[in-house]
Amino acid sequence: MKKKTALITGGATGLGKKTACQLAKQGYQLAVNYRNSNQEAILLSKELEEKFGSEIICIQGDVAIQADCTRIVETVISEFTSIDVVIHNAGPYVRERKKLTEYSFDEWNYIINGNLNAVFYLSKAIIPIMRERQWGRIITMGFERVETSPGWVYRSAFAAAKTGLASLTRTIAIEEAANGITANMVCPGDIISHWKEKRIEEATFSESVPVGRQGTGEDISRVISFLVDEKSDFITGSIIPVTGGKDVLGKVYSQKGQSK
């Protein structure tokens, strides 16, 4: 039986890396996309090939650029002939706190392209391939309460892109349901820095999270693993928060010194 192929954007580090490890363990052959993390991608591919015997290719490309998305898909198809699962993990983010008027046009367009338009660029190329096989799994990434179109101070571009992506994800789910393709959004909670690549058993106590521990990359990868399973076809158009019960946006608004 032919192995399924998963494309993971931004898959060399962080949550993408943890998802790659999870899917490799489950027997997927992987296409790991990265923008700048060449060294990390190569090390990850070697590690997973040795550990699980997975077939892995690493593809450089910026998903915010349409031509790169086309090239990424063409490369995967030439190597594996199909793309069965796509994890839209990559998404640019400006860490500096900026009000809407402080964004440059280039910054704004790059964030919108990388978080919203990239899914259109890749879906336009990949969905017809999935239709041929009458099977596919599409996972996008959002943030807590994204489906309610909340405001997010100093994150206007990112919030706007992800809110649009939530609607797009649900639209894809409806349009492609008859083709055996599901589309769901996973919304990680406050999982920061090195915790994105940690296992659940490594999580330490955190009084700020209702469940009492730090969130980890494995918390997210396990949900993704469930959603891409053969038997998860009844779950589509869902927006799933994985937060440990923490009100992430509430934390933002409770912080003092919001005005500059």
Side-chain angles (χ1 to χ4, degrees):
M1 182 173 157
K2 185 181 180 298
K3 288 184 177 181
K4 284 187 167 60
T5 300
L7 166 63
I8 305 173
T9 67
T13 61
L15 298 179
K17 176 180 178 180
K18 201 63 186 172
T19 300
C21 295
Q22 179 77 38
L23 296 185
K25 184 179 179 180
Q26 291 177 224
Y28 281 82
Q29 50 194 17
L30 302 177
V32 175
N33 156 254
Y34 65 93
R35 183 170 60 118
N36 297 319
S37 306
N38 174 261
Q39 185 82 17
E40 292 88 344
I42 292 171
L43 289 174
L44 176 63
S45 64
K46 289 181 178 178
E47 175 189 340
L48 297 182
E49 284 171 354
E50 291 174 3
K51 192 171 183 179
F52 302 112
S54 306
E55 293 180 71
I56 299 172
I57 59 171
C58 301
I59 312 169
Q60 192 283 329
D62 189 337
V63 296
I65 301 171
Q66 181 184 342
D68 279 19
C69 289
T70 300
R71 177 175 53 80
I72 289 166
V73 173
E74 289 174 348
T75 302
V76 180
I77 293 303
S78 67
E79 184 71 25
F80 293 133
T81 73
S82 71
I83 299 175
D84 305 287
V85 172
V86 57
I87 314 296
H88 293 283
N89 173 70
Y93 182 84
V94 174
R95 298 198 175 280
E96 184 182 351
R97 289 151 59 95
K98 291 186 175 189
K99 290 185 177 180
L100 181 146
T101 55
E102 295 167 344
Y103 281 89
S104 70
F105 289 113
D106 285 344
E107 285 174 328
W108 180 273
N109 289 332
Y110 189 68
I111 292 172
I112 298 296
N113 284 338
N115 288 286
L116 176 58
N117 291 340
V119 177
F120 167 68
Y121 300 151
L122 289 168
S123 295
K124 187 170 174 62
I126 293 171
I127 287 176
I129 298 167
M130 291 179 170
R131 284 176 184 162
E132 289 178 9
R133 296 173 177 268
Q134 286 290 290
W135 198 93
R137 298 287 184 264
I138 296 169
I139 305 294
T140 61
M141 305 291 272
F143 62 88
E144 181 208 16
R145 282 193 266 151
V146 66
E147 72 276 20
T148 68
S149 304
W152 192 349
V153 178
Y154 303 131
R155 300 286 181 256
S156 55
F158 183 80
K162 291 297 188 182
T163 299
L165 182 56
S167 176
L168 180 60
T169 302
R170 284 179 159 165
T171 299
I172 292 171
I174 296 167
E175 290 184 346
E176 301 303 327
N179 296 311
I181 300 168
T182 68
N184 294 287
M185 174 178 271
V186 176
C187 300
D190 200 13
I191 303 174
I192 57 174
S193 60
H194 67 285
W195 289 108
K196 293 178 180 179
E197 297 183 6
K198 295 293 186 181
R199 302 188 309 276
I200 290 171
E201 63 228 45
E202 297 176 284
T204 57
F205 172 76
S206 174
E207 63 179 14
S208 69
V209 183
V211 300
R213 67 166 175 84
Q214 291 283 355
T216 69
E218 188 182 6
D219 289 297
I220 305 305
S221 69
R222 288 180 71 254
V223 174
I224 291 173
S225 170
F226 173 73
L227 292 172
V228 304
D229 188 83
E230 249 341 300
K231 295 181 179 179
S232 295
D233 60 316
F234 206 68
I235 305 170
T236 193
S238 295
I239 296 174
I240 303 172
V242 188
T243 66
K246 184 171 183 176
D247 182 0
V248 181
L249 288 185
K251 180 195 78 169
V252 172
Y253 291 118
S254 67
Q255 291 173 344
K256 295 181 180 179
Q258 287 288 331
S259 60
K260 288 174 125 181

